[in-house]
Amino acid sequence: MRFTSKNSKKNYRALACAMAMMTGLSAAQVVFAAPADSGVIVNMKDGKLAAVSESGAGADIDRNKKEAANGVEIGESVENVAKSQDTTNAAKEAVAKWNGERPTDAEVTSAAQALVGKTIMDIKIEGATEDVYNTALLSLNSKVGDALTIDGLSRDANNIYETGYFYDLYPSFEEIPEGVIVTYHVFTTPIISDIEITGNSKRESTEKLIKAMQLKPGDRLNRRSLQEDLANIKKVYVNDGYIMAKVHDMGIDDHGKVSIQVNEGILEGYKVKGLKKTKEKVVIRELRTKVGEPLNKKDVVRSYNRLTNLNYFESIDIKPIPGVEPNACMLEIDITEKNTGAFGVGAGYSTADGFIGMVSIGDRNFRGIGDSISVMYSISGSSTDARGWMFTYRKPWLDKKETAGIIKIYNRTYRYNDYDTNGDLIEEMLRKAKGFEIGFTRPVSEYSTNGIYFKNSDDTYDNHKSGPYDRRQPQWSEWNKENFGLTRSVTLSHTTDTRDNIMYPTGGHYVQLSAEFAGLGGDFNYQKYVIDDSAYWKVGRNQIVAFRNSYGHSNNELSYFNKFRIGGQGTLRGYKDDQFRGDSMYIGSLEFRFPLYNKVKGAIFTDWGAAWDDKWLPNDFNDFHASVGVGVMVETPVGPIRIDVGHGSQGNRVHFNVGASF
C-alpha cells in the first residue's frame, strides 16, 4: 500500500482505501476454522474479525456400546471440555473486543487528516505480545520528531503488517500541546499448537511435508512464513513429479491448530486415440500412471519411454486434460501406428546348387495384442547349400506380473565362414543346427528384470564349401567329435535397463549379468559368465556419447564353437566375423553419435578387445586389437539399419546390421 504526500481529498481517500486493503488482505490470506466440537468459526472478512456460530453440524454418534467410564476418566473428560470451552470463549471475547474498539475507516481517515504536519512526540504499539513487540517497533520508518504524514502512516502500517505476526491493525492519535502521540493497535497471531495436513497420499507422507516447513508447533504464527511453507509444500510435490498438486485450503482454529488441505491432482482415467490395429489394453498396460492416484510427471515420462520402446508407433503424444472433479485430470494418449509387419523374399540360381530361395514373414505386434512372431524358410535345389526353417514367438505379458515368454524352434543348415586370427579363411562350411530354446523373464523392479533360458541345440558339421581345410576328411573326425554335438544349458540373467529408448538411446544405462551352465545330458559341460555394461550421455542438443564394456570368462576349456568370439558388427568392427576366440574375452567401444538429416544419423567410433584362454586376464596384452571407423544409421519402418566402415590392423571392413550397434 502507498499514499501520496499531497494534502488533498484524494490522499485521504487513499488512506482509507489502504486501511481497508490491509485488513482485507489479511482476510484473504488467513482463514480460521474451529474444530467441529467447538461450534465456532473465526473468519477475517471486510476488515472485521467475525465470530460466527456454526449451525446444522451434527456430531457423529458412536453406536457401539462402550464400558462405563471410571471416576478419573470422567474427571479428565470434564476438565478437557472446560479447557476447550475456555479457549473458545476467550477467542470469542477477543474478537468481540477488537471489533468493538476498532474505529471505522472513515474515523481513522478523519483523525489522520486533522493532524497532518504535527510533530510525532511518541510512537506506541498496543496489543503486541512480548515476543513480537520489538519486531513491530523496529519495522517503523517514522521517528520521534518527524512530522506526521499520510505517506509515513501508510509505510509504518504496511511495515508492521508485513512482519507477518499480525492479522489486523489501525492507528489512533493523541494530540498534545507539543504534537501528537501515534499508537498502533495490533491483533497478534496465535501460538501454533499443532499442524495437520490432510489430502496427501502415502507417496508424500505428512512427516515429510511438515519437515519442509519452517513453522513448528510452539512458534508464533507468521503469515509470511506460512505462505513460504505452503510454497515449500508445493515445491516438495513438484520436485517429486506431482506437478498438479496444490494447497487446496488452509485454516487456523481458535486453539492455534494449523490445518492444511492438499489436492494432489488425481488421475481419473485414460483416453486413447488413433489406434487402428493395436488393442487399447496393450497401451494401457505399459502406463506407469495409475488411475485414482496423483498424476506424476516422472510416471508420464516413463510411460512414454515404455510405449516408445514397443516400436509399434510412429508418434506418441501424452497430455493431461481436465477431469470431472476439481483439479483432477485424465490422460489423453494420441498415437499414430507404424507398420509392424515384415515380409521378405529372395531367390537365386547357380549351376552348382541349382535354385535357391528364401522367404520370411513376421510381425512385432501380431494381431494387435503385442506379441511378436517370425517364420523363416529357405530352400535349395542341392543338399550342398543353405536350407531349413526357424520359428520364433514372444509373448511379453503372460500374466499381470509382466512375465514374458519366448520360444524358438529351428532346423536349419547355414553357411559359416571360419577365420584364423590373421583373418585368413580356414574353411567355408555348412553347419546344421536343430533344436529349440525357451525363456522367461519377469521384472523385479521398474528397471530390473530376471531371466531364465533353456537351450537344447544339436550342432553338426554338414558339408564343406571352400577353403584350404576340409573337415569332412577322416583326420578331422576326432576334432569334429569334440567340437560338434548337443548343447543343453540353462542361462540365468539379471538385467537393469534405464535407457530412454532401446533403439537409439540418448540417456541411461544398460547392465546385464548372465551365467550359462551347460551339461544336463548334453555333450558339453561348462560354465560361462558375462557382464555387459553400456552407458549413454547427451552432450549437446542432439549429440550422444555411447560407451560399452563387456567381459566374459569361463573356468572350463570350451569347445571350439562354444568359445567366446569377437570380431565383426556388434563386437569388434574392422575385423572379420568371429575372427578371435577364447575362454575369456573383453570388448570396449566408444561412439559419438550425431544427426545428419531427418531420420539419418552418423557415428564416429572406436572398438578394442581381445579373446584369450586359461586365465582371467590375458598373458600378453598384444592380444588386444583395436579399430576406428564411421557409421550411418537410417530409421526405417522395420527398424534402424546400420552400416559401419571399420579400419583395423588388417585393413577396412564394411558391416551391415538391422538395429543399433549397442
Side-chain angles (χ1 to χ4, degrees):
M1 65 194 74
R2 176 171 175 80
F3 301 109
T4 60
S5 59
K6 295 181 180 179
N7 188 8
S8 66
K9 291 183 178 180
K10 182 177 181 180
N11 298 332
Y12 301 134
R13 286 196 299 269
L15 174 60
C17 180
M19 296 302 298
M21 183 184 298
M22 178 180 66
T23 55
L25 184 59
S26 65
Q29 290 187 350
V30 180
V31 176
F32 296 89
D37 58 356
S38 71
V40 175
I41 296 178
V42 183
N43 183 35
M44 288 294 301
K45 183 178 181 182
D46 298 330
K48 294 287 186 179
L49 286 169
V52 183
S53 176
E54 184 179 26
S55 60
D60 292 335
I61 299 176
D62 187 353
R63 303 187 184 277
N64 296 322
K65 186 175 181 180
K66 300 179 180 179
E67 295 181 1
N70 58 38
V72 174
E73 291 172 340
I74 293 175
E76 290 177 350
S77 177
V78 171
E79 184 179 354
N80 290 335
V81 171
K83 288 180 179 179
S84 176
Q85 187 65 41
D86 289 344
T87 304
T88 301
N89 291 337
K92 287 181 179 180
E93 292 172 1
V95 170
K97 184 175 183 294
W98 178 265
N99 287 336
E101 295 178 352
R102 191 190 195 284
T104 65
D105 296 337
E107 292 171 339
V108 172
T109 302
S110 177
Q113 178 184 4
L115 298 171
V116 169
K118 296 284 186 178
T119 301
I120 299 175
M121 301 306 298
D122 195 8
I123 302 176
K124 300 179 180 180
I125 297 177
E126 188 174 293
T129 55
E130 183 179 355
D131 57 320
V132 296
Y133 180 86
N134 287 335
T135 301
L137 196 62
L138 292 173
S139 70
L140 300 174
N141 282 336
S142 299
K143 308 296 182 186
V144 173
D146 292 347
L148 188 144
T149 64
I150 299 299
D151 279 346
L153 289 173
S154 175
R155 283 194 300 268
D156 289 344
N158 186 70
N159 289 347
I160 294 173
Y161 181 77
E162 288 302 318
T163 63
Y165 291 111
F166 309 104
Y167 289 137
D168 191 15
L169 72 151
Y170 65 89
S172 67
F173 313 98
E174 180 184 353
E175 187 176 7
I176 59 176
E178 296 85 356
V180 62
I181 297 174
V182 180
T183 301
Y184 288 97
H185 304 265
V186 296
F187 197 104
T188 308
T189 58
I191 297 293
I192 298 174
S193 63
D194 192 15
I195 299 176
E196 179 186 58
I197 299 178
T198 58
N200 55 311
S201 62
K202 60 183 180 181
R203 294 193 176 191
E204 300 292 353
S205 67
T206 300
E207 292 76 13
K208 179 180 179 180
L209 297 179
I210 290 179
K211 188 176 180 180
M213 300 176 63
Q214 52 186 319
L215 289 176
K216 306 296 180 185
D219 293 346
R220 173 76 59 186
L221 175 66
N222 186 290
R223 295 177 300 97
R224 299 185 66 180
S225 297
L226 185 57
Q227 292 300 318
E228 292 174 3
D229 284 345
L230 299 182
N232 289 339
I233 291 175
K234 172 70 174 177
K235 186 176 180 180
V236 169
Y237 275 99
V238 171
N239 289 342
D240 290 344
Y242 300 101
I243 56 176
M244 294 192 64
K246 65 180 182 180
V247 177
H248 181 67
D249 197 7
M250 187 276 298
I252 306 167
D253 67 17
D254 48 6
H255 301 286
K257 180 179 179 180
V258 177
S259 299
I260 301 172
Q261 184 177 355
V262 177
N263 188 320
E264 295 184 321
I266 301 300
L267 177 64
E268 292 183 337
Y270 304 106
K271 183 178 181 181
V272 183
K273 300 167 57 179
L275 295 181
K276 297 179 180 178
K277 173 184 176 181
T278 307
K279 308 298 183 185
E280 185 174 293
K281 69 176 183 179
V282 173
V283 174
I284 299 298
R285 70 190 183 189
E286 297 295 332
L287 303 179
R288 285 302 175 255
T289 53
K290 301 298 181 184
V291 174
E293 295 186 2
L295 181 66
N296 189 288
K297 178 183 177 181
K298 298 175 183 178
D299 292 338
V300 174
V301 172
R302 177 59 178 162
S303 299
Y304 175 85
N305 290 340
R306 287 178 63 91
L307 290 174
T308 300
N309 288 336
L310 293 177
N311 201 24
Y312 304 159
F313 311 120
E314 187 71 31
S315 65
I316 304 166
D317 183 24
I318 303 178
K319 61 183 179 182
I321 58 177
V324 176
E325 297 296 326
N327 203 43
C329 71
M330 296 186 67
L331 271 189
E332 182 180 87
I333 306 166
D334 195 354
I335 289 174
T336 302
E337 293 180 306
K338 66 167 60 172
N339 183 15
T340 57
F343 176 77
V345 62
Y349 179 83
S350 71
T351 55
D353 301 319
F355 175 79
I356 302 171
M358 184 277 295
V359 61
S360 65
I361 187 170
D363 194 343
R364 300 190 307 275
N365 186 15
F366 183 54
R367 297 172 55 209
I369 61 175
D371 293 2
S372 175
I373 186 173
S374 67
V375 179
M376 185 277 295
Y377 180 76
S378 60
I379 188 172
S380 172
S382 168
S383 61
T384 61
D385 213 333
R387 59 200 180 275
W389 55 271
M390 181 169 63
F391 170 81
T392 305
Y393 195 94
R394 181 179 184 273
K395 192 172 187 63
W397 286 73
L398 290 171
D399 55 25
K400 293 182 179 180
K401 294 185 177 181
E402 203 177 337
T403 303
I406 184 171
I407 185 169
K408 182 186 295 184
I409 307 172
Y410 46 86
N411 185 355
R412 54 190 294 259
T413 302
Y414 59 97
R415 288 178 181 245
Y416 181 79
N417 292 335
D418 189 17
Y419 299 99
D420 62 18
T421 56
N422 294 320
D424 297 326
L425 180 66
I426 297 175
E427 181 184 15
E428 180 186 8
M429 68 178 77
L430 288 178
R431 292 174 60 182
K432 182 176 182 179
K434 180 180 180 181
F436 67 92
E437 299 173 20
I438 186 170
F440 299 94
T441 62
R442 173 177 286 183
V444 292
S445 68
E446 178 58 35
Y447 296 99
S448 296
T449 303
N450 288 337
I452 182 170
Y453 305 87
F454 176 74
K455 178 171 71 174
N456 186 93
S457 180
D458 192 10
D459 188 22
T460 59
Y461 181 91
D462 186 76
N463 211 336
H464 172 79
K465 293 295 294 182
S466 65
Y469 294 89
D470 184 355
R471 291 179 172 124
R472 294 175 300 179
Q473 302 303 317
Q475 64 267 31
W476 289 96
S477 60
E478 188 64 27
W479 187 91
N480 288 337
K481 183 178 179 180
E482 292 176 354
N483 294 287
F484 288 96
L486 176 64
T487 299
R488 283 183 180 160
S489 69
V490 173
T491 299
L492 304 177
S493 70
H494 177 79
T495 305
T496 298
D497 189 354
T498 63
R499 294 174 296 175
D500 54 358
N501 187 317
I502 61 174
M503 303 305 294
Y504 190 77
T506 62
H509 284 75
Y510 176 87
V511 180
Q512 184 177 72
L513 307 174
S514 66
E516 182 183 6
F517 304 93
L520 308 174
D523 296 324
F524 306 103
N525 290 276
Y526 61 83
Q527 297 85 44
K528 294 171 70 175
Y529 308 95
V530 178
I531 178 171
D532 193 4
D533 179 20
S534 301
Y536 308 87
W537 300 276
K538 198 169 186 178
V539 295
R541 184 175 181 181
N542 293 302
Q543 291 77 37
I544 309 299
V545 171
F547 180 68
R548 175 185 62 174
N549 281 292
S550 184
Y551 176 82
H553 178 74
S554 175
N555 292 325
N556 309 93
E557 184 178 349
L558 300 174
S559 62
Y560 189 74
F561 292 106
N562 282 316
K563 287 182 179 292
F564 293 103
R565 292 163 286 175
I566 66 172
Q569 182 71 29
T571 56
L572 188 60
R573 289 163 288 189
Y575 296 88
K576 295 180 179 178
D577 293 343
D578 301 344
Q579 186 171 332
F580 308 102
R581 301 170 184 266
D583 298 332
S584 299
M585 70 88 187
Y586 170 78
I587 303 167
S589 297
L590 179 65
E591 281 195 5
F592 179 71
R593 301 170 180 173
F594 49 90
L596 290 176
Y597 177 77
N598 199 6
K599 295 185 177 183
V600 182
K601 298 177 177 65
I604 301 173
F605 65 84
T606 178
D607 296 336
W608 60 94
W612 64 94
D613 291 327
D614 301 331
K615 298 183 179 181
W616 289 89
L617 296 175
N619 291 324
D620 188 352
F621 281 90
N622 289 327
D623 291 339
F624 274 82
H625 306 274
S627 65
V628 295
V630 296
V632 175
M633 188 182 76
V634 181
E635 295 182 29
T636 71
V638 297
I641 295 177
R642 175 83 180 241
I643 300 175
D644 290 323
V645 179
H647 176 77
S649 60
Q650 298 163 3
N652 299 325
R653 296 287 297 176
V654 177
H655 306 279
F656 175 84
N657 185 52
V658 177
S661 57
F662 65 89

